[in-house]
Amino acid sequence: MAVAQPLEYLSQEQIDKFYRDGYLIIPGFLSHDQTNSLLLRAKELLDEFTPEDHPLTKFTTSDEDHIGDNYFLNSGDKIRYFLDEDAVDSSGKLTRDKAKAVNKIGHALHELDPVYRNVTLENDRLKALARDLRFHHDPVALQSMVIFKQSQTGGAVPEHNDSTFLYTSPPSALGFWIALEKCTPTNGALSFLPGSHLTTPITKRFVRLPGGGTGFEQLATPPPPSSEISEKPSDNASEGNYVLEVCEPGDLVLIHGSVLHKSERNTSPHTRFAYTFHMIDSSPYVEYDEKNWLQPTNDMPFSRILDVPNLSTAVH
């Protein structure tokens, strides 16, 4: 029998809370200087955006009208810009200043931008957290984004779970969401349904359609919730009550791929910038197939997180 390794960064209480609730807030995961560097770099990237050189691809979370052009589908090994739904008018012109029109930048910041790479792939604290959590056997990072929820115009993101969009068999998505600015009830802080990862199976997946573009495919036999622990979901989950979680700059939110979460529109005078990236387990522990919208390339395979390929215990 393998001997469990001692914890390096997380406490057992934090680990238990993550597996019970499906998410965990880690205050001050990034230092003040690290957070400011990411925020400054995000603003520099906005300044570098030239609408004349990019298709004005809008990002939407609607099931009926999702993005699926080549600019989006081929962004896994590039840094590309995606606009708010109402940032482009019927004639194809921006409705506001370019810096306030961008919804997100993705999807290979963690590989291609040195500032973001430093806190993602070259972060010893992150590696220790991954070893402590034991969520994956051999985790890989497959996408990263800076998300801009602009003052007054940043739209709501409806209830969803991440494994629908980053599907593996069995489900293994894990989100890392880092606040770059203060997140409040009025500027779009995240809300979670605690324990929903234990009760909500993944019923559909976001795929490349055979005829082009993207859509949702219903799963014939939805896999059970990916956590095998017998913890009872929190009372909030059984009552259907979402919990809004405010965050300070530098706070990390760990997000189980099956937990339901959402955010409301930014109605405040303050922006809400965040950096997020996702990990999945790697083959042979899970299958990640060619139906997924995001595909690795020969030049940029998914990024290994840990130097040691196997952990001491199995995935929960």
Side-chain angles (χ1 to χ4, degrees):
M1 177 181 293
V3 177
Q5 298 299 312
L7 297 177
E8 303 174 59
Y9 179 71
L10 295 175
S11 69
Q12 189 60 51
E13 182 180 7
Q14 287 176 307
I15 294 170
D16 292 344
K17 180 174 176 57
F18 169 79
Y19 282 107
R20 182 184 70 243
D21 292 346
Y23 73 97
L24 176 69
I25 298 175
I26 302 175
F29 181 75
L30 294 186
S31 70
H32 177 77
D33 288 346
Q34 287 176 312
T35 306
N36 278 349
S37 294
L38 294 181
L39 183 60
L40 176 61
R41 182 61 185 137
K43 292 178 178 179
E44 290 175 348
L45 288 168
L46 285 178
D47 289 340
E48 293 170 10
F49 175 48
T50 51
E52 301 79 16
D53 299 329
H54 295 264
L56 300 183
T57 298
K58 296 181 288 184
F59 181 77
T60 174
T61 54
S62 166
D63 282 10
E64 290 76 25
D65 186 28
H66 216 285
I67 54 177
D69 62 17
N70 287 331
Y71 184 78
F72 171 72
L73 290 173
N74 297 328
S75 63
D77 59 353
K78 301 174 182 69
I79 296 174
R80 289 186 164 172
Y81 297 79
F82 304 95
L83 307 182
D84 278 328
E85 289 185 75
D86 58 352
V88 183
D89 64 21
S90 58
S91 64
K93 304 292 185 182
L94 290 181
T95 60
R96 50 185 178 267
D97 180 77
K98 67 172 188 176
K100 295 184 180 300
V102 177
N103 176 283
K104 70 174 186 175
I105 300 175
H107 288 94
L109 289 163
H110 63 290
E111 277 281 4
L112 299 178
D113 189 276
V115 179
Y116 287 93
R117 182 183 178 93
N118 178 260
V119 301
T120 312
L121 302 181
E122 300 169 358
N123 187 339
D124 289 338
R125 184 177 295 179
L126 178 69
K127 296 175 188 291
L129 186 156
R131 286 189 290 266
D132 286 350
L133 198 63
R134 297 187 174 92
F135 191 79
H136 298 126
H137 295 86
D138 186 7
V140 293
L142 73 166
Q143 71 155 7
S144 53
M145 301 175 285
V146 177
I147 301 175
F148 306 95
K149 195 169 281 241
Q150 298 288 353
S151 170
Q152 304 294 334
T153 61
V157 177
E159 177 183 84
H160 68 284
N161 49 44
D162 293 341
S163 283
T164 292
F165 296 92
L166 300 169
Y167 184 76
T168 64
S169 180
S172 67
L174 177 66
F176 292 73
W177 192 98
I178 301 172
L180 301 184
E181 298 180 301
K182 188 176 180 67
C183 302
T184 70
T186 58
N187 78 349
L190 298 178
S191 295
F192 294 88
L193 188 58
S196 55
H197 64 302
L198 301 175
T199 59
T200 307
I202 308 301
T203 59
K204 61 184 178 180
R205 57 181 296 199
F206 184 59
V207 298
R208 294 180 178 228
L209 296 175
T214 59
F216 290 90
E217 176 185 277
Q218 296 296 317
L219 298 176
T221 305
S226 55
S227 177
E228 297 175 359
I229 62 171
S230 59
E231 293 269 9
K232 178 184 176 182
S234 71
D235 291 339
N236 285 309
S238 62
E239 296 170 2
N241 293 333
Y242 267 84
V243 176
L244 187 144
E245 298 286 2
V246 298
C247 291
E248 295 293 328
D251 290 357
L252 166 66
V253 187
L254 280 176
I255 305 175
H256 191 293
S258 296
V259 76
L260 295 172
H261 57 288
K262 61 182 180 178
S263 66
E264 301 303 329
R265 182 179 177 183
N266 185 350
T267 60
S268 81
H270 306 290
T271 56
R272 192 226 69 182
F273 290 6
Y275 172 53
T276 182
F277 58 94
H278 288 83
M279 294 181 194
I280 57 171
D281 216 344
S282 55
S283 177
Y285 304 106
V286 301
E287 179 185 7
Y288 186 94
D289 64 28
E290 68 281 353
K291 289 183 178 182
N292 282 308
W293 72 270
L294 179 68
Q295 293 295 319
T297 64
N298 291 332
D299 292 335
M300 192 178 293
F302 293 154
S303 311
R304 291 276 299 280
I305 299 299
L306 301 177
D307 299 325
V308 180
N310 57 334
L311 299 178
S312 61
T313 61
V315 177
H316 284 75

mmCIF file of all heavy atoms in Angstrom, residues 25-45:
data_model
loop_
_atom_site.group_PDB
_atom_site.id
_atom_site.type_symbol
_atom_site.label_atom_id
_atom_site.label_comp_id
_atom_site.label_asym_id
_atom_site.label_seq_id
_atom_site.Cartn_x
_atom_site.Cartn_y
_atom_site.Cartn_z
ATOM 1 N N ILE A 25 -11.913 28.628 -1.292
ATOM 2 C CA ILE A 25 -11.242 29.916 -1.414
ATOM 3 C C ILE A 25 -9.950 29.890 -0.596
ATOM 4 O O ILE A 25 -9.964 29.526 0.583
ATOM 5 C CB ILE A 25 -12.146 31.065 -0.942
ATOM 6 C CG1 ILE A 25 -13.386 31.139 -1.824
ATOM 7 C CG2 ILE A 25 -11.393 32.387 -0.968
ATOM 8 C CD1 ILE A 25 -14.395 32.165 -1.382
ATOM 9 N N ILE A 26 -8.848 30.251 -1.243
ATOM 10 C CA ILE A 26 -7.547 30.307 -0.588
ATOM 11 C C ILE A 26 -7.099 31.758 -0.590
ATOM 12 O O ILE A 26 -6.639 32.288 -1.612
ATOM 13 C CB ILE A 26 -6.523 29.416 -1.313
ATOM 14 C CG1 ILE A 26 -7.039 27.966 -1.356
ATOM 15 C CG2 ILE A 26 -5.168 29.488 -0.618
ATOM 16 C CD1 ILE A 26 -6.164 27.035 -2.149
ATOM 17 N N PRO A 27 -7.269 32.461 0.526
ATOM 18 C CA PRO A 27 -6.906 33.886 0.576
ATOM 19 C C PRO A 27 -5.411 34.101 0.336
ATOM 20 O O PRO A 27 -4.575 33.312 0.791
ATOM 21 C CB PRO A 27 -7.303 34.304 1.991
ATOM 22 C CG PRO A 27 -8.285 33.262 2.457
ATOM 23 C CD PRO A 27 -7.842 31.990 1.802
ATOM 24 N N GLY A 28 -5.085 35.163 -0.394
ATOM 25 C CA GLY A 28 -3.699 35.558 -0.568
ATOM 26 C C GLY A 28 -2.819 34.526 -1.241
ATOM 27 O O GLY A 28 -1.629 34.428 -0.925
ATOM 28 N N PHE A 29 -3.371 33.762 -2.177
ATOM 29 C CA PHE A 29 -2.566 32.746 -2.861
ATOM 30 C C PHE A 29 -1.422 33.395 -3.635
ATOM 31 O O PHE A 29 -0.314 32.876 -3.665
ATOM 32 C CB PHE A 29 -3.448 31.920 -3.796
ATOM 33 C CG PHE A 29 -2.709 30.846 -4.531
ATOM 34 C CD1 PHE A 29 -2.312 29.693 -3.876
ATOM 35 C CD2 PHE A 29 -2.402 30.981 -5.885
ATOM 36 C CE1 PHE A 29 -1.617 28.686 -4.548
ATOM 37 C CE2 PHE A 29 -1.717 29.991 -6.566
ATOM 38 C CZ PHE A 29 -1.326 28.849 -5.894
ATOM 39 N N LEU A 30 -1.707 34.524 -4.277
ATOM 40 C CA LEU A 30 -0.657 35.287 -4.940
ATOM 41 C C LEU A 30 -0.299 36.491 -4.081
ATOM 42 O O LEU A 30 -1.160 37.076 -3.416
ATOM 43 C CB LEU A 30 -1.106 35.758 -6.322
ATOM 44 C CG LEU A 30 -1.367 34.698 -7.385
ATOM 45 C CD1 LEU A 30 -1.652 35.363 -8.724
ATOM 46 C CD2 LEU A 30 -0.220 33.714 -7.514
ATOM 47 N N SER A 31 0.944 36.873 -4.117
ATOM 48 C CA SER A 31 1.386 38.048 -3.376
ATOM 49 C C SER A 31 0.837 39.312 -4.028
ATOM 50 O O SER A 31 0.345 39.298 -5.165
ATOM 51 C CB SER A 31 2.912 38.112 -3.352
ATOM 52 O OG SER A 31 3.406 38.408 -4.652
ATOM 53 N N HIS A 32 0.953 40.410 -3.296
ATOM 54 C CA HIS A 32 0.522 41.702 -3.828
ATOM 55 C C HIS A 32 1.273 42.024 -5.119
ATOM 56 O O HIS A 32 0.665 42.470 -6.109
ATOM 57 C CB HIS A 32 0.769 42.788 -2.776
ATOM 58 C CG HIS A 32 0.429 44.170 -3.229
ATOM 59 N ND1 HIS A 32 -0.876 44.643 -3.300
ATOM 60 C CD2 HIS A 32 1.227 45.195 -3.666
ATOM 61 C CE1 HIS A 32 -0.864 45.894 -3.750
ATOM 62 N NE2 HIS A 32 0.389 46.252 -3.977
ATOM 63 N N ASP A 33 2.578 41.782 -5.144
ATOM 64 C CA ASP A 33 3.369 42.084 -6.336
ATOM 65 C C ASP A 33 2.985 41.178 -7.504
ATOM 66 O O ASP A 33 2.899 41.643 -8.650
ATOM 67 C CB ASP A 33 4.862 41.921 -6.031
ATOM 68 C CG ASP A 33 5.406 43.039 -5.143
ATOM 69 O OD1 ASP A 33 4.705 44.073 -4.991
ATOM 70 O OD2 ASP A 33 6.511 42.872 -4.592
ATOM 71 N N GLN A 34 2.772 39.879 -7.245
ATOM 72 C CA GLN A 34 2.357 38.970 -8.315
ATOM 73 C C GLN A 34 1.015 39.389 -8.909
ATOM 74 O O GLN A 34 0.835 39.412 -10.131
ATOM 75 C CB GLN A 34 2.262 37.539 -7.783
ATOM 76 C CG GLN A 34 3.587 36.862 -7.520
ATOM 77 C CD GLN A 34 3.398 35.493 -6.896
ATOM 78 O OE1 GLN A 34 2.632 35.332 -5.939
ATOM 79 N NE2 GLN A 34 4.093 34.501 -7.422
ATOM 80 N N THR A 35 0.077 39.718 -8.038
ATOM 81 C CA THR A 35 -1.251 40.115 -8.496
ATOM 82 C C THR A 35 -1.190 41.390 -9.324
ATOM 83 O O THR A 35 -1.810 41.478 -10.399
ATOM 84 C CB THR A 35 -2.192 40.307 -7.290
ATOM 85 O OG1 THR A 35 -2.182 39.125 -6.487
ATOM 86 C CG2 THR A 35 -3.607 40.581 -7.759
ATOM 87 N N ASN A 36 -0.439 42.358 -8.848
ATOM 88 C CA ASN A 36 -0.302 43.613 -9.590
ATOM 89 C C ASN A 36 0.368 43.394 -10.942
ATOM 90 O O ASN A 36 0.019 44.057 -11.931
ATOM 91 C CB ASN A 36 0.489 44.637 -8.777
ATOM 92 C CG ASN A 36 -0.384 45.346 -7.761
ATOM 93 O OD1 ASN A 36 -1.606 45.234 -7.782
ATOM 94 N ND2 ASN A 36 0.239 46.080 -6.855
ATOM 95 N N SER A 37 1.330 42.467 -11.005
ATOM 96 C CA SER A 37 1.994 42.172 -12.277
ATOM 97 C C SER A 37 1.007 41.592 -13.282
ATOM 98 O O SER A 37 1.025 41.957 -14.465
ATOM 99 C CB SER A 37 3.157 41.198 -12.061
ATOM 100 O OG SER A 37 4.185 41.793 -11.294
ATOM 101 N N LEU A 38 0.148 40.692 -12.817
ATOM 102 C CA LEU A 38 -0.866 40.111 -13.703
ATOM 103 C C LEU A 38 -1.857 41.168 -14.164
ATOM 104 O O LEU A 38 -2.256 41.201 -15.340
ATOM 105 C CB LEU A 38 -1.605 38.981 -12.996
ATOM 106 C CG LEU A 38 -0.809 37.727 -12.645
ATOM 107 C CD1 LEU A 38 -1.725 36.711 -11.977
ATOM 108 C CD2 LEU A 38 -0.157 37.115 -13.877
ATOM 109 N N LEU A 39 -2.281 42.035 -13.243
ATOM 110 C CA LEU A 39 -3.252 43.075 -13.589
ATOM 111 C C LEU A 39 -2.646 44.060 -14.590
ATOM 112 O O LEU A 39 -3.299 44.429 -15.581
ATOM 113 C CB LEU A 39 -3.696 43.802 -12.323
ATOM 114 C CG LEU A 39 -4.767 44.883 -12.491
ATOM 115 C CD1 LEU A 39 -6.052 44.299 -13.074
ATOM 116 C CD2 LEU A 39 -5.058 45.546 -11.151
ATOM 117 N N LEU A 40 -1.412 44.469 -14.357
ATOM 118 C CA LEU A 40 -0.742 45.388 -15.271
ATOM 119 C C LEU A 40 -0.584 44.754 -16.646
ATOM 120 O O LEU A 40 -0.825 45.404 -17.678
ATOM 121 C CB LEU A 40 0.624 45.782 -14.715
ATOM 122 C CG LEU A 40 1.498 46.667 -15.622
ATOM 123 C CD1 LEU A 40 0.799 47.996 -15.899
ATOM 124 C CD2 LEU A 40 2.867 46.895 -14.976
ATOM 125 N N ARG A 41 -0.202 43.482 -16.677
ATOM 126 C CA ARG A 41 -0.027 42.798 -17.961
ATOM 127 C C ARG A 41 -1.364 42.666 -18.688
ATOM 128 O O ARG A 41 -1.418 42.807 -19.928
ATOM 129 C CB ARG A 41 0.604 41.421 -17.749
ATOM 130 C CG ARG A 41 0.875 40.666 -19.036
ATOM 131 C CD ARG A 41 1.851 41.406 -19.925
ATOM 132 N NE ARG A 41 2.034 40.740 -21.204
ATOM 133 C CZ ARG A 41 2.085 41.364 -22.372
ATOM 134 N NH1 ARG A 41 1.984 42.687 -22.427
ATOM 135 N NH2 ARG A 41 2.273 40.678 -23.478
ATOM 136 N N ALA A 42 -2.434 42.429 -17.961
ATOM 137 C CA ALA A 42 -3.761 42.351 -18.584
ATOM 138 C C ALA A 42 -4.115 43.674 -19.260
ATOM 139 O O ALA A 42 -4.641 43.699 -20.380
ATOM 140 C CB ALA A 42 -4.811 41.988 -17.538
ATOM 141 N N LYS A 43 -3.814 44.765 -18.585
ATOM 142 C CA LYS A 43 -4.117 46.078 -19.165
ATOM 143 C C LYS A 43 -3.223 46.370 -20.363
ATOM 144 O O LYS A 43 -3.661 46.994 -21.343
ATOM 145 C CB LYS A 43 -3.966 47.154 -18.086
ATOM 146 C CG LYS A 43 -5.025 47.048 -16.998
ATOM 147 C CD LYS A 43 -4.828 48.086 -15.900
ATOM 148 C CE LYS A 43 -5.929 47.978 -14.846
ATOM 149 N NZ LYS A 43 -5.757 48.968 -13.746
ATOM 150 N N GLU A 44 -1.974 45.893 -20.319
ATOM 151 C CA GLU A 44 -1.094 46.044 -21.473
ATOM 152 C C GLU A 44 -1.621 45.264 -22.669
ATOM 153 O O GLU A 44 -1.575 45.751 -23.811
ATOM 154 C CB GLU A 44 0.319 45.570 -21.123
ATOM 155 C CG GLU A 44 1.056 46.478 -20.142
ATOM 156 C CD GLU A 44 2.399 45.900 -19.721
ATOM 157 O OE1 GLU A 44 2.659 44.709 -20.003
ATOM 158 O OE2 GLU A 44 3.178 46.639 -19.090
ATOM 159 N N LEU A 45 -2.112 44.062 -22.425
ATOM 160 C CA LEU A 45 -2.677 43.258 -23.509
ATOM 161 C C LEU A 45 -3.894 43.947 -24.130
ATOM 162 O O LEU A 45 -4.092 43.903 -25.347
ATOM 163 C CB LEU A 45 -3.048 41.866 -22.998
ATOM 164 C CG LEU A 45 -1.869 40.928 -22.699
ATOM 165 C CD1 LEU A 45 -2.344 39.704 -21.918
ATOM 166 C CD2 LEU A 45 -1.178 40.494 -23.983
#
